[in-house]
Amino acid sequence: MQRIRLAHIASSITSTILLSGCRKKVTEEKPPEELDLGIIINSIYKNKYFGFSITVPSDWSIQDQNNRQQMMDAGAKTFAGEDPNLKAAVEASQLQTVNLLTVTKYPLGSPVSFNPNIVCVAERVDDMPEIKSGKDYLLNARKFLESGQMTYSFPREISTAKLGDKEFDLLFAELTTAGIKVQQKYHTVIMKGYALVFIESFTNAEEESYLGNILRSVSFK
């Protein structure tokens, strides 16, 4: 069960710490009220603020707000370890980051070696003038991920890919936890003062293909 639990944590680590090391000060300001968490109707997630929808397979697990927060907290704790500077940075980021959607192939706690998933988060960046594009965001995020307690590698240069009719910047990452090699893709675009990020986590080509099919259902109004 420890192996399974760590696999779940590894898949959700980046839901909360992508740019936490880049902020110059901790702020207590909350995200604007107009930012909504979205709604799910008939396996279709819709977010009015960002104007997008995504279709989730009917047999996948959609995590509620409580589970999303628990996964973010567990991931942040694993990432920061006992480093007080990293802990402070993660706490700063949590004030600015909203987990909009987390979907997993299996229910949490299922007896599987890894649980393929897609996480969608929005991190406020309007107080960071140096972040003008998804690539700017990902370059900073990559530096911070390298500073944590998990050993990340980045086998490819940042590229681009479309989700719906929008062009996203795309970062590939890999890490090994509990003997499992986890691969991740970060699709990022700057919208309305936020970095909107879709994160895929998978361990093989079949899982990668399935997650890609889900993301092909993303549509922007």
Side-chain angles (χ1 to χ4, degrees):
M1 291 304 295
Q2 179 74 358
R3 179 186 177 94
I4 296 169
R5 187 181 67 83
L6 287 176
H8 289 314
I9 289 173
S11 67
S12 61
I13 281 174
T14 50
S15 299
T16 184
I17 47 74
L18 287 180
L19 270 186
S20 54
C22 305
R23 297 189 181 279
K24 295 179 175 59
K25 61 180 180 179
V26 176
T27 173
E28 295 295 333
E29 188 175 359
K30 297 295 183 181
E33 290 299 322
E34 62 266 32
L35 174 60
D36 66 287
L37 294 178
I39 59 173
I40 298 173
I41 300 176
N42 296 327
S43 297
I44 299 176
Y45 171 86
K46 295 182 178 182
N47 187 282
K48 182 178 179 180
Y49 184 77
F50 292 109
F52 78 87
S53 64
I54 179 173
T55 301
V56 180
S58 59
D59 58 343
W60 276 46
S61 292
I62 300 172
Q63 305 307 321
D64 60 24
Q65 187 172 359
N66 182 57
N67 281 344
R68 294 198 304 269
Q69 187 61 50
Q70 289 181 358
M71 292 174 73
M72 289 174 70
D73 291 344
K77 183 177 180 180
T78 300
F79 178 84
E82 298 303 318
D83 187 315
N85 293 325
L86 282 178
K87 285 182 179 180
V90 167
E91 289 173 2
S93 183
Q94 286 181 315
L95 295 174
Q96 303 294 335
T97 305
V98 179
N99 187 316
L100 300 175
L101 178 70
T102 296
V103 296
T104 59
K105 184 174 182 179
Y106 307 105
L108 296 186
S110 296
V112 293
S113 60
F114 187 76
N115 198 348
N117 65 84
I118 292 175
V119 176
C120 179
V121 299
E123 181 167 5
R124 193 173 178 183
V125 295
D126 58 358
D127 61 340
M128 303 176 70
E130 70 274 21
I131 304 299
K132 297 181 174 63
S133 67
K135 184 174 182 179
D136 293 335
Y137 181 89
L138 291 171
L139 286 171
N140 282 277
R142 185 170 65 185
K143 290 179 183 178
F144 190 66
L145 289 173
E146 290 173 331
S147 73
Q149 303 301 304
M150 308 290 290
T151 302
Y152 275 87
S153 63
F154 303 92
R156 307 183 197 177
E157 295 298 320
I158 293 173
S159 58
T160 61
K162 277 196 170 182
L163 294 183
D165 61 355
K166 287 193 177 296
E167 188 169 272
F168 282 65
D169 288 292
L170 175 61
L171 173 69
F172 289 80
E174 295 179 350
L175 72 155
T176 299
T177 178
I180 301 172
K181 182 180 180 180
V182 181
Q183 301 172 74
Q184 295 183 312
K185 293 181 181 178
Y186 303 82
H187 305 257
T188 306
V189 69
I190 305 301
M191 294 181 65
K192 296 186 175 183
Y194 285 84
L196 179 65
V197 188
F198 290 87
I199 307 167
E200 305 173 65
S201 298
F202 53 92
T203 60
N204 56 53
E206 182 180 3
E207 294 172 356
E208 178 183 13
S209 177
Y210 203 99
L211 295 178
N213 288 334
I214 296 173
L215 286 186
R216 276 190 278 277
S217 73
V218 172
S219 175
F220 286 88
K221 292 183 179 179

